[in-house]
Amino acid sequence: MQADIRQVADGVHLVHGSNTNWVILTEGDAVTLVDTGYPGDREKVLASLSAVGGSPEAVTAVLVTHAHNDHLGSAEYLSSTYGTPVYTHEAEVPHARRDFLHQVSIGQVLKNAWRPGVAPWAVHALRSGGTAQVPVARPRAFPAQGPLDLPGRPVPVHTPGHTAGHCAFHLPEAGVVISGDGLVNGHPTSRVTGPQLLPVMFHHDRGAALASLDAFEALSGDILLPGHGPVHHGSIREAAARARERAA
């Protein structure tokens, strides 16, 4: 099954993989890839690059919102095969190297297996490489504050809680926020749709994740590209406020 690719703004594409999204930013022949899906999504990642006129060789950098396997999947493959640099927040660098792992455990999943959607999601995650070893050998911290000198000129915004170094990316000129898992628009284990935080078991620090909604509320824009769920059209401030209400 091919990935579902949606162009949401000039040079901005949201790609729905298998339960997880990634974003392709294009500028001429150059590409920025934000997240890379599960390890099992690799062929979809490569096909999506081709579909928007890019290629693995054209990827200037991989930006990682956070180092969970369903977002980190092919980062090291692109780095080791094509020499693509992999950037993430400085607090997430050791997580991407797998100096430690802040990810929902099998035990936590089993405790929540009675909840609607959890068992099918867990089976899919296992089949897609959710517990595979895919560390990035040489992840790099963002080189400077403000817009990155990459296609799309994304601006990193530290939004800790889901992981310590979780980072969103703001595209002010396009009115786009790439929110990773700090603010999603649905999930296979969630019984609601629309802007929300992920279920509690997925967050390293739920309190910090809730507090990071302040950072999202401060961002201008009307297109939210989440790590899970469809694109959300509407005020980013209002989307974050709705997520806060639902988490209360």
Side-chain angles (χ1 to χ4, degrees), residues 92-170:
E92 200 72 1
V93 166
H95 194 197
R97 285 196 305 255
R98 286 298 181 262
D99 295 355
F100 54 82
L101 178 62
H102 288 162
Q103 186 166 290
V104 64
S105 68
I106 293 176
Q108 289 172 303
V109 172
L110 290 175
K111 288 179 181 178
N112 287 273
W114 60 273
R115 297 181 182 276
V118 171
W121 165 82
V123 170
H124 176 273
L126 289 170
R127 289 176 174 172
S128 301
T131 59
Q133 295 298 316
V134 289
V136 178
R138 291 179 295 277
R140 309 180 191 183
F142 301 127
Q145 297 289 323
L148 300 174
D149 187 18
L150 296 170
R153 301 299 183 269
V155 181
V157 181
H158 189 205
T159 49
H162 185 62
T163 65
H166 186 284
C167 202
F169 297 97
H170 189 202

Side-chain angles (χ1 to χ4, degrees), residues 12-104:
V12 183
H13 301 81
L14 177 67
V15 186
H16 300 288
S18 60
N19 286 356
T20 304
N21 304 330
W22 55 90
V23 177
I24 303 173
L25 308 177
T26 60
E27 189 174 294
D29 295 332
V31 170
T32 301
L33 178 61
V34 184
D35 288 341
T36 65
Y38 278 102
D41 286 333
R42 181 169 303 162
E43 292 306 316
K44 291 182 179 180
V45 171
L46 299 178
S48 67
L49 290 170
S50 177
V52 302
S55 67
E57 295 87 347
V59 179
T60 305
V62 173
L63 303 182
V64 177
T65 59
H66 64 292
H68 284 162
N69 273 21
D70 58 331
H71 297 259
L72 196 67
S74 289
E76 175 58 22
Y77 166 78
L78 292 168
S79 179
S80 61
T81 305
Y82 300 99
T84 313
V86 178
Y87 291 102
T88 192
H89 189 272
E90 61 181 353
E92 200 72 1
V93 166
H95 194 197
R97 285 196 305 255
R98 286 298 181 262
D99 295 355
F100 54 82
L101 178 62
H102 288 162
Q103 186 166 290
V104 64

